[in-house]
mmCIF file of all heavy atoms in Angstrom:
data_model
loop_
_atom_site.group_PDB
_atom_site.id
_atom_site.type_symbol
_atom_site.label_atom_id
_atom_site.label_comp_id
_atom_site.label_asym_id
_atom_site.label_seq_id
_atom_site.Cartn_x
_atom_site.Cartn_y
_atom_site.Cartn_z
ATOM 1 N N ASP A 1 0.912 -1.134 0.042
ATOM 2 C CA ASP A 1 0.026 0.086 0.028
ATOM 3 C C ASP A 1 0.911 1.196 0.008
ATOM 4 O O ASP A 1 1.502 1.614 1.047
ATOM 5 C CB ASP A 1 -0.909 0.056 1.246
ATOM 6 C CG ASP A 1 -1.827 1.234 1.286
ATOM 7 O OD1 ASP A 1 -1.669 2.141 0.521
ATOM 8 O OD2 ASP A 1 -2.678 1.237 2.239
ATOM 9 N N ILE A 2 1.002 1.875 -1.129
ATOM 10 C CA ILE A 2 1.983 2.903 -1.386
ATOM 11 C C ILE A 2 1.766 4.123 -0.311
ATOM 12 O O ILE A 2 2.667 4.711 0.136
ATOM 13 C CB ILE A 2 2.009 3.394 -2.822
ATOM 14 C CG1 ILE A 2 2.618 2.251 -3.703
ATOM 15 C CG2 ILE A 2 2.758 4.659 -3.027
ATOM 16 C CD1 ILE A 2 2.228 2.388 -5.165
ATOM 17 N N LEU A 3 0.497 4.343 -0.144
ATOM 18 C CA LEU A 3 0.078 5.423 0.701
ATOM 19 C C LEU A 3 0.567 5.201 2.242
ATOM 20 O O LEU A 3 0.775 6.216 2.925
ATOM 21 C CB LEU A 3 -1.344 5.755 0.742
ATOM 22 C CG LEU A 3 -1.937 5.948 -0.808
ATOM 23 C CD1 LEU A 3 -3.406 6.273 -0.585
ATOM 24 C CD2 LEU A 3 -1.211 7.154 -1.386
ATOM 25 N N GLN A 4 0.720 3.999 2.534
ATOM 26 C CA GLN A 4 1.148 3.716 3.947
ATOM 27 C C GLN A 4 2.661 3.410 4.091
ATOM 28 O O GLN A 4 3.202 3.686 5.041
ATOM 29 C CB GLN A 4 0.324 2.549 4.456
ATOM 30 C CG GLN A 4 -1.134 2.854 4.622
ATOM 31 C CD GLN A 4 -1.502 4.057 5.544
ATOM 32 O OE1 GLN A 4 -0.822 4.147 6.629
ATOM 33 N NE2 GLN A 4 -2.326 4.866 5.221
ATOM 34 N N GLY A 5 3.256 2.741 3.101
ATOM 35 C CA GLY A 5 4.505 2.267 3.099
ATOM 36 C C GLY A 5 5.654 2.996 2.418
ATOM 37 O O GLY A 5 6.688 2.527 2.344
ATOM 38 N N LEU A 6 5.289 4.188 1.957
ATOM 39 C CA LEU A 6 6.232 4.942 1.028
ATOM 40 C C LEU A 6 7.534 5.154 1.674
ATOM 41 O O LEU A 6 8.638 4.889 1.045
ATOM 42 C CB LEU A 6 5.594 6.229 0.604
ATOM 43 C CG LEU A 6 6.267 6.959 -0.602
ATOM 44 C CD1 LEU A 6 6.224 6.067 -1.862
ATOM 45 C CD2 LEU A 6 5.471 8.276 -0.861
ATOM 46 N N GLU A 7 7.606 5.648 2.940
ATOM 47 C CA GLU A 7 8.865 6.002 3.547
ATOM 48 C C GLU A 7 9.760 4.827 3.731
ATOM 49 O O GLU A 7 11.012 5.012 3.916
ATOM 50 C CB GLU A 7 8.513 6.704 4.868
ATOM 51 C CG GLU A 7 8.062 8.230 4.752
ATOM 52 C CD GLU A 7 6.652 8.267 4.150
ATOM 53 O OE1 GLU A 7 5.911 7.365 4.227
ATOM 54 O OE2 GLU A 7 6.269 9.393 3.674
ATOM 55 N N SER A 8 9.227 3.620 3.880
ATOM 56 C CA SER A 8 10.045 2.460 4.060
ATOM 57 C C SER A 8 10.985 2.123 2.813
ATOM 58 O O SER A 8 11.909 1.391 2.996
ATOM 59 C CB SER A 8 9.197 1.274 4.296
ATOM 60 O OG SER A 8 8.409 0.847 3.203
ATOM 61 N N LEU A 9 10.699 2.770 1.791
ATOM 62 C CA LEU A 9 11.484 2.443 0.549
ATOM 63 C C LEU A 9 12.907 3.202 0.544
ATOM 64 O O LEU A 9 13.691 2.902 -0.265
ATOM 65 C CB LEU A 9 10.820 3.019 -0.748
ATOM 66 C CG LEU A 9 9.401 2.287 -1.006
ATOM 67 C CD1 LEU A 9 8.631 2.878 -2.141
ATOM 68 C CD2 LEU A 9 9.764 0.812 -1.400
ATOM 69 N N GLY A 10 13.119 4.064 1.549
ATOM 70 C CA GLY A 10 14.437 4.639 1.790
ATOM 71 C C GLY A 10 14.605 6.096 1.328
ATOM 72 O O GLY A 10 14.418 6.410 0.247
ATOM 73 N N ARG A 11 15.052 6.825 2.252
ATOM 74 C CA ARG A 11 15.254 8.353 2.038
ATOM 75 C C ARG A 11 16.385 8.464 1.063
ATOM 76 O O ARG A 11 17.464 7.802 1.234
ATOM 77 C CB ARG A 11 15.500 9.033 3.390
ATOM 78 C CG ARG A 11 15.454 10.529 3.290
ATOM 79 C CD ARG A 11 15.727 11.100 4.646
ATOM 80 N NE ARG A 11 15.528 12.633 4.710
ATOM 81 C CZ ARG A 11 14.508 13.250 5.024
ATOM 82 N NH1 ARG A 11 13.378 12.522 5.500
ATOM 83 N NH2 ARG A 11 14.418 14.560 4.965
ATOM 84 N N ALA A 12 16.308 9.320 0.145
ATOM 85 C CA ALA A 12 17.350 9.758 -0.844
ATOM 86 C C ALA A 12 17.925 8.459 -1.531
ATOM 87 O O ALA A 12 19.142 8.293 -1.600
ATOM 88 C CB ALA A 12 18.462 10.575 -0.112
ATOM 89 N N SER A 13 17.117 7.542 -1.960
ATOM 90 C CA SER A 13 17.483 6.298 -2.489
ATOM 91 C C SER A 13 17.413 6.228 -4.036
ATOM 92 O O SER A 13 17.839 5.276 -4.703
ATOM 93 C CB SER A 13 16.802 5.184 -1.912
ATOM 94 O OG SER A 13 16.955 5.117 -0.522
ATOM 95 N N PHE A 14 16.721 7.194 -4.651
ATOM 96 C CA PHE A 14 16.312 7.099 -6.052
ATOM 97 C C PHE A 14 16.647 8.361 -6.778
ATOM 98 O O PHE A 14 16.670 9.479 -6.337
ATOM 99 C CB PHE A 14 14.832 6.787 -6.254
ATOM 100 C CG PHE A 14 14.401 5.463 -5.505
ATOM 101 C CD1 PHE A 14 13.806 5.664 -4.220
ATOM 102 C CD2 PHE A 14 14.570 4.261 -6.100
ATOM 103 C CE1 PHE A 14 13.435 4.464 -3.634
ATOM 104 C CE2 PHE A 14 14.252 3.137 -5.404
ATOM 105 C CZ PHE A 14 13.648 3.228 -4.029
ATOM 106 N N ASP A 15 17.043 8.092 -8.114
ATOM 107 C CA ASP A 15 17.276 9.254 -9.039
ATOM 108 C C ASP A 15 15.987 9.653 -9.849
ATOM 109 O O ASP A 15 15.874 10.757 -10.259
ATOM 110 C CB ASP A 15 18.412 8.806 -10.014
ATOM 111 C CG ASP A 15 19.627 8.395 -9.263
ATOM 112 O OD1 ASP A 15 20.293 9.192 -8.521
ATOM 113 O OD2 ASP A 15 19.974 7.219 -9.369
ATOM 114 N N LEU A 16 15.184 8.639 -10.112
ATOM 115 C CA LEU A 16 13.978 8.858 -10.931
ATOM 116 C C LEU A 16 12.814 8.147 -10.269
ATOM 117 O O LEU A 16 12.937 7.083 -9.848
ATOM 118 C CB LEU A 16 14.112 8.450 -12.376
ATOM 119 C CG LEU A 16 15.122 9.160 -13.196
ATOM 120 C CD1 LEU A 16 15.307 8.398 -14.542
ATOM 121 C CD2 LEU A 16 14.663 10.531 -13.508
ATOM 122 N N ILE A 17 11.611 8.836 -10.224
ATOM 123 C CA ILE A 17 10.484 8.270 -9.713
ATOM 124 C C ILE A 17 9.281 8.348 -10.649
ATOM 125 O O ILE A 17 9.081 9.538 -11.148
ATOM 126 C CB ILE A 17 9.974 8.834 -8.347
ATOM 127 C CG1 ILE A 17 11.067 8.523 -7.253
ATOM 128 C CG2 ILE A 17 8.653 8.273 -7.899
ATOM 129 C CD1 ILE A 17 10.679 9.239 -5.910
ATOM 130 N N VAL A 18 8.621 7.349 -10.994
ATOM 131 C CA VAL A 18 7.396 7.361 -11.925
ATOM 132 C C VAL A 18 6.165 7.290 -10.953
ATOM 133 O O VAL A 18 6.162 6.330 -10.188
ATOM 134 C CB VAL A 18 7.418 6.235 -12.888
ATOM 135 C CG1 VAL A 18 6.087 6.216 -13.722
ATOM 136 C CG2 VAL A 18 8.666 6.337 -13.766
ATOM 137 N N LEU A 19 5.413 8.227 -11.067
ATOM 138 C CA LEU A 19 4.157 8.365 -10.210
ATOM 139 C C LEU A 19 2.953 8.568 -11.186
ATOM 140 O O LEU A 19 2.699 9.597 -11.567
ATOM 141 C CB LEU A 19 4.328 9.489 -9.204
ATOM 142 C CG LEU A 19 3.269 9.753 -8.168
ATOM 143 C CD1 LEU A 19 3.060 8.582 -7.321
ATOM 144 C CD2 LEU A 19 3.530 10.997 -7.366
ATOM 145 N N ASP A 20 2.262 7.456 -11.319
ATOM 146 C CA ASP A 20 1.025 7.505 -12.078
ATOM 147 C C ASP A 20 -0.164 6.905 -11.350
ATOM 148 O O ASP A 20 -0.612 5.720 -11.602
ATOM 149 C CB ASP A 20 1.250 6.689 -13.446
ATOM 150 C CG ASP A 20 0.046 6.808 -14.375
ATOM 151 O OD1 ASP A 20 -0.662 7.809 -14.288
ATOM 152 O OD2 ASP A 20 -0.110 5.972 -15.305
ATOM 153 N N PRO A 21 -0.635 7.616 -10.357
ATOM 154 C CA PRO A 21 -1.604 7.086 -9.392
ATOM 155 C C PRO A 21 -3.005 7.089 -10.070
ATOM 156 O O PRO A 21 -3.286 7.760 -10.989
ATOM 157 C CB PRO A 21 -1.549 8.006 -8.240
ATOM 158 C CG PRO A 21 -1.146 9.327 -8.731
ATOM 159 C CD PRO A 21 -0.307 9.005 -9.947
ATOM 160 N N PRO A 22 -3.923 6.221 -9.572
ATOM 161 C CA PRO A 22 -5.423 6.334 -9.936
ATOM 162 C C PRO A 22 -6.041 7.669 -9.558
ATOM 163 O O PRO A 22 -5.552 8.352 -8.648
ATOM 164 C CB PRO A 22 -5.985 5.156 -9.096
ATOM 165 C CG PRO A 22 -5.272 5.073 -7.870
ATOM 166 C CD PRO A 22 -3.756 5.308 -8.311
ATOM 167 N N THR A 23 -7.006 7.947 -10.298
ATOM 168 C CA THR A 23 -7.766 9.195 -9.965
ATOM 169 C C THR A 23 -8.400 9.104 -8.603
ATOM 170 O O THR A 23 -8.373 10.074 -7.842
ATOM 171 C CB THR A 23 -8.847 9.545 -11.167
ATOM 172 O OG1 THR A 23 -8.172 9.717 -12.362
ATOM 173 C CG2 THR A 23 -9.727 10.619 -10.725
ATOM 174 N N PHE A 24 -8.969 7.952 -8.356
ATOM 175 C CA PHE A 24 -9.633 7.732 -7.049
ATOM 176 C C PHE A 24 -9.440 6.242 -6.637
ATOM 177 O O PHE A 24 -9.557 5.416 -7.645
ATOM 178 C CB PHE A 24 -11.103 8.114 -6.992
ATOM 179 C CG PHE A 24 -11.765 7.912 -5.724
ATOM 180 C CD1 PHE A 24 -11.628 8.884 -4.740
ATOM 181 C CD2 PHE A 24 -12.460 6.763 -5.466
ATOM 182 C CE1 PHE A 24 -12.228 8.752 -3.426
ATOM 183 C CE2 PHE A 24 -13.099 6.610 -4.162
ATOM 184 C CZ PHE A 24 -12.947 7.558 -3.292
ATOM 185 N N SER A 25 -9.209 5.980 -5.460
ATOM 186 C CA SER A 25 -9.223 4.434 -5.038
ATOM 187 C C SER A 25 -9.604 4.447 -3.638
ATOM 188 O O SER A 25 -9.352 5.267 -2.696
ATOM 189 C CB SER A 25 -7.620 4.048 -5.120
ATOM 190 O OG SER A 25 -7.649 2.705 -4.641
ATOM 191 N N SER A 26 -10.460 3.364 -3.421
ATOM 192 C CA SER A 26 -11.031 3.129 -2.084
ATOM 193 C C SER A 26 -10.919 1.535 -1.824
ATOM 194 O O SER A 26 -11.848 0.902 -1.285
ATOM 195 C CB SER A 26 -12.523 3.519 -1.954
ATOM 196 O OG SER A 26 -13.216 2.927 -2.997
ATOM 197 N N SER A 27 -9.890 0.975 -2.246
ATOM 198 C CA SER A 27 -9.598 -0.494 -2.134
ATOM 199 C C SER A 27 -9.780 -0.858 -0.634
ATOM 200 O O SER A 27 -9.323 -0.147 0.274
ATOM 201 C CB SER A 27 -8.192 -0.858 -2.641
ATOM 202 O OG SER A 27 -7.862 -2.121 -2.226
ATOM 203 N N LYS A 28 -10.299 -2.004 -0.328
ATOM 204 C CA LYS A 28 -10.454 -2.527 1.019
ATOM 205 C C LYS A 28 -9.148 -2.738 1.556
ATOM 206 O O LYS A 28 -8.969 -2.732 2.841
ATOM 207 C CB LYS A 28 -11.281 -3.741 1.046
ATOM 208 C CG LYS A 28 -12.748 -3.538 0.623
ATOM 209 C CD LYS A 28 -13.496 -4.877 0.584
ATOM 210 C CE LYS A 28 -14.984 -4.574 0.254
ATOM 211 N NZ LYS A 28 -15.759 -5.815 0.163
ATOM 212 N N ARG A 29 -8.118 -3.005 0.794
ATOM 213 C CA ARG A 29 -6.724 -3.200 1.367
ATOM 214 C C ARG A 29 -6.055 -1.925 1.750
ATOM 215 O O ARG A 29 -5.016 -2.044 2.275
ATOM 216 C CB ARG A 29 -5.939 -4.170 0.292
ATOM 217 C CG ARG A 29 -6.572 -5.391 0.010
ATOM 218 C CD ARG A 29 -5.753 -6.062 -1.021
ATOM 219 N NE ARG A 29 -4.398 -6.339 -0.509
ATOM 220 C CZ ARG A 29 -3.364 -6.725 -1.418
ATOM 221 N NH1 ARG A 29 -3.582 -6.917 -2.602
ATOM 222 N NH2 ARG A 29 -2.221 -6.904 -0.833
ATOM 223 N N MET A 30 -6.541 -0.782 1.394
ATOM 224 C CA MET A 30 -5.913 0.516 1.740
ATOM 225 C C MET A 30 -6.534 1.011 3.099
ATOM 226 O O MET A 30 -7.781 0.835 3.341
ATOM 227 C CB MET A 30 -6.166 1.515 0.685
ATOM 228 C CG MET A 30 -5.515 1.113 -0.711
ATOM 229 S SD MET A 30 -5.923 2.148 -2.092
ATOM 230 C CE MET A 30 -5.274 3.690 -1.522
ATOM 231 N N ARG A 31 -5.739 1.658 3.893
ATOM 232 C CA ARG A 31 -6.310 2.141 5.153
ATOM 233 C C ARG A 31 -7.114 3.381 4.965
ATOM 234 O O ARG A 31 -8.008 3.708 5.717
ATOM 235 C CB ARG A 31 -5.054 2.578 5.998
ATOM 236 C CG ARG A 31 -4.260 1.342 6.542
ATOM 237 C CD ARG A 31 -3.166 1.658 7.545
ATOM 238 N NE ARG A 31 -2.331 0.632 7.902
ATOM 239 C CZ ARG A 31 -1.257 0.752 8.661
ATOM 240 N NH1 ARG A 31 -1.029 1.918 9.311
ATOM 241 N NH2 ARG A 31 -0.583 -0.277 9.032
ATOM 242 N N ARG A 32 -6.952 4.138 3.823
ATOM 243 C CA ARG A 32 -7.803 5.377 3.598
ATOM 244 C C ARG A 32 -7.964 5.436 2.111
ATOM 245 O O ARG A 32 -7.104 4.815 1.350
ATOM 246 C CB ARG A 32 -7.219 6.504 4.109
ATOM 247 C CG ARG A 32 -5.734 6.884 3.704
ATOM 248 C CD ARG A 32 -5.358 8.286 3.892
ATOM 249 N NE ARG A 32 -6.083 9.096 3.001
ATOM 250 C CZ ARG A 32 -5.723 10.390 2.831
ATOM 251 N NH1 ARG A 32 -4.707 10.984 3.627
ATOM 252 N NH2 ARG A 32 -6.314 11.192 1.985
ATOM 253 N N ASP A 33 -8.999 6.126 1.765
ATOM 254 C CA ASP A 33 -9.265 6.311 0.256
ATOM 255 C C ASP A 33 -8.125 7.319 -0.266
ATOM 256 O O ASP A 33 -7.450 7.997 0.474
ATOM 257 C CB ASP A 33 -10.655 6.771 -0.089
ATOM 258 C CG ASP A 33 -10.964 8.079 0.504
ATOM 259 O OD1 ASP A 33 -10.121 8.752 1.044
ATOM 260 O OD2 ASP A 33 -12.240 8.442 0.379
ATOM 261 N N PHE A 34 -8.143 7.431 -1.644
ATOM 262 C CA PHE A 34 -7.142 8.322 -2.237
ATOM 263 C C PHE A 34 -7.858 9.080 -3.278
ATOM 264 O O PHE A 34 -8.679 8.555 -4.107
ATOM 265 C CB PHE A 34 -6.112 7.508 -2.973
ATOM 266 C CG PHE A 34 -5.099 8.412 -3.760
ATOM 267 C CD1 PHE A 34 -4.095 9.027 -3.093
ATOM 268 C CD2 PHE A 34 -5.261 8.396 -5.155
ATOM 269 C CE1 PHE A 34 -3.192 9.844 -3.909
ATOM 270 C CE2 PHE A 34 -4.413 9.040 -5.857
ATOM 271 C CZ PHE A 34 -3.328 9.903 -5.345
ATOM 272 N N ASP A 35 -7.720 10.431 -3.355
ATOM 273 C CA ASP A 35 -8.253 11.308 -4.289
ATOM 274 C C ASP A 35 -7.095 12.117 -4.918
ATOM 275 O O ASP A 35 -6.455 12.832 -4.137
ATOM 276 C CB ASP A 35 -9.237 12.225 -3.681
ATOM 277 C CG ASP A 35 -9.923 13.261 -4.658
ATOM 278 O OD1 ASP A 35 -9.380 14.233 -4.979
ATOM 279 O OD2 ASP A 35 -11.000 12.934 -5.162
ATOM 280 N N ILE A 36 -6.903 12.057 -6.211
ATOM 281 C CA ILE A 36 -5.805 12.671 -6.864
ATOM 282 C C ILE A 36 -5.747 14.139 -6.688
ATOM 283 O O ILE A 36 -4.627 14.725 -6.387
ATOM 284 C CB ILE A 36 -5.679 12.196 -8.400
ATOM 285 C CG1 ILE A 36 -4.428 12.711 -9.007
ATOM 286 C CG2 ILE A 36 -6.840 12.844 -9.095
ATOM 287 C CD1 ILE A 36 -3.164 12.121 -8.395
ATOM 288 N N GLN A 37 -6.749 14.800 -6.797
ATOM 289 C CA GLN A 37 -6.661 16.321 -6.592
ATOM 290 C C GLN A 37 -6.399 16.627 -5.286
ATOM 291 O O GLN A 37 -5.594 17.536 -4.949
ATOM 292 C CB GLN A 37 -8.028 17.055 -7.176
ATOM 293 C CG GLN A 37 -7.920 18.431 -7.210
ATOM 294 C CD GLN A 37 -6.974 18.955 -8.236
ATOM 295 O OE1 GLN A 37 -7.125 18.900 -9.489
ATOM 296 N NE2 GLN A 37 -5.784 19.447 -7.740
ATOM 297 N N ARG A 38 -7.058 16.042 -4.266
ATOM 298 C CA ARG A 38 -6.942 16.299 -2.883
ATOM 299 C C ARG A 38 -5.449 16.035 -2.403
ATOM 300 O O ARG A 38 -4.828 16.627 -1.581
ATOM 301 C CB ARG A 38 -7.932 15.546 -2.045
ATOM 302 C CG ARG A 38 -7.816 15.817 -0.537
ATOM 303 C CD ARG A 38 -8.772 14.834 0.172
ATOM 304 N NE ARG A 38 -8.168 13.471 0.059
ATOM 305 C CZ ARG A 38 -8.978 12.390 0.219
ATOM 306 N NH1 ARG A 38 -10.245 12.521 0.471
ATOM 307 N NH2 ARG A 38 -8.360 11.183 0.219
ATOM 308 N N ASP A 39 -4.940 14.836 -2.903
ATOM 309 C CA ASP A 39 -3.733 14.210 -2.212
ATOM 310 C C ASP A 39 -2.510 14.455 -3.019
ATOM 311 O O ASP A 39 -1.423 13.836 -2.633
ATOM 312 C CB ASP A 39 -4.061 12.665 -1.997
ATOM 313 C CG ASP A 39 -5.213 12.481 -0.987
ATOM 314 O OD1 ASP A 39 -5.324 13.258 -0.083
ATOM 315 O OD2 ASP A 39 -5.917 11.455 -1.235
ATOM 316 N N ALA A 40 -2.547 14.962 -4.254
ATOM 317 C CA ALA A 40 -1.420 14.998 -5.144
ATOM 318 C C ALA A 40 -0.152 15.727 -4.479
ATOM 319 O O ALA A 40 1.028 15.279 -4.555
ATOM 320 C CB ALA A 40 -1.727 15.651 -6.421
ATOM 321 N N ALA A 41 -0.410 16.838 -4.002
ATOM 322 C CA ALA A 41 0.649 17.586 -3.349
ATOM 323 C C ALA A 41 1.387 16.949 -2.266
ATOM 324 O O ALA A 41 2.555 16.811 -2.190
ATOM 325 C CB ALA A 41 0.186 19.045 -2.829
ATOM 326 N N GLY A 42 0.622 16.338 -1.346
ATOM 327 C CA GLY A 42 1.253 15.599 -0.136
ATOM 328 C C GLY A 42 2.055 14.410 -0.709
ATOM 329 O O GLY A 42 3.041 14.150 -0.225
ATOM 330 N N LEU A 43 1.404 13.795 -1.649
ATOM 331 C CA LEU A 43 2.187 12.514 -2.213
ATOM 332 C C LEU A 43 3.415 12.960 -2.859
ATOM 333 O O LEU A 43 4.489 12.312 -2.722
ATOM 334 C CB LEU A 43 1.241 11.839 -3.270
ATOM 335 C CG LEU A 43 1.769 10.442 -3.764
ATOM 336 C CD1 LEU A 43 2.142 9.558 -2.598
ATOM 337 C CD2 LEU A 43 0.725 9.843 -4.671
ATOM 338 N N LEU A 44 3.453 14.001 -3.669
ATOM 339 C CA LEU A 44 4.721 14.505 -4.323
ATOM 340 C C LEU A 44 5.661 14.820 -3.207
ATOM 341 O O LEU A 44 6.930 14.543 -3.403
ATOM 342 C CB LEU A 44 4.281 15.547 -5.189
ATOM 343 C CG LEU A 44 3.627 15.324 -6.545
ATOM 344 C CD1 LEU A 44 3.038 16.482 -7.201
ATOM 345 C CD2 LEU A 44 4.677 14.559 -7.446
ATOM 346 N N GLN A 45 5.256 15.559 -2.191
ATOM 347 C CA GLN A 45 6.280 16.014 -1.064
ATOM 348 C C GLN A 45 6.787 14.729 -0.443
ATOM 349 O O GLN A 45 8.003 14.758 -0.141
ATOM 350 C CB GLN A 45 5.461 16.849 -0.110
ATOM 351 C CG GLN A 45 4.956 18.190 -0.556
ATOM 352 C CD GLN A 45 6.103 19.223 -0.975
ATOM 353 O OE1 GLN A 45 7.164 18.911 -0.746
ATOM 354 N NE2 GLN A 45 5.619 20.451 -1.181
ATOM 355 N N ARG A 46 6.053 13.744 -0.290
ATOM 356 C CA ARG A 46 6.565 12.415 0.338
ATOM 357 C C ARG A 46 7.608 11.797 -0.627
ATOM 358 O O ARG A 46 8.593 11.253 -0.173
ATOM 359 C CB ARG A 46 5.432 11.544 0.754
ATOM 360 C CG ARG A 46 4.607 12.042 1.903
ATOM 361 C CD ARG A 46 3.417 11.200 2.067
ATOM 362 N NE ARG A 46 3.711 9.856 2.515
ATOM 363 C CZ ARG A 46 2.860 8.840 2.474
ATOM 364 N NH1 ARG A 46 1.672 9.030 2.041
ATOM 365 N NH2 ARG A 46 3.254 7.671 2.913
ATOM 366 N N CYS A 47 7.187 11.760 -1.874
ATOM 367 C CA CYS A 47 8.125 11.204 -2.879
ATOM 368 C C CYS A 47 9.386 11.984 -2.961
ATOM 369 O O CYS A 47 10.476 11.463 -3.138
ATOM 370 C CB CYS A 47 7.520 11.164 -4.209
ATOM 371 S SG CYS A 47 6.212 9.938 -4.403
#
């Protein structure tokens, strides 16, 4: 679950990141839903 485990991938570990998220997701396996317009800035800052 990328929204929960992103930081575990390692600080300053990558040169290029591809980020093509869904517009909206509410999978039962995710702890919270995802909305691209609402959450894009926070996700980019974490990346």
Side-chain angles (χ1 to χ4, degrees):
D1 179 352
I2 292 163
L3 301 181
Q4 296 300 319
L6 193 61
E7 283 72 20
S8 68
L9 296 171
R11 193 180 184 95
S13 298
F14 302 97
D15 304 293
L16 293 170
I17 296 176
V18 178
L19 182 60
D20 184 23
T23 297
F24 181 83
S25 181
S26 58
S27 169
K28 293 178 181 179
R29 297 180 60 194
M30 298 169 63
R31 292 188 187 177
R32 53 162 292 190
D33 64 8
F34 175 81
D35 180 278
I36 187 63
Q37 189 62 72
R38 181 193 68 201
D39 298 326
L43 184 56
L44 285 165
Q45 295 287 9
R46 293 172 64 194
C47 286

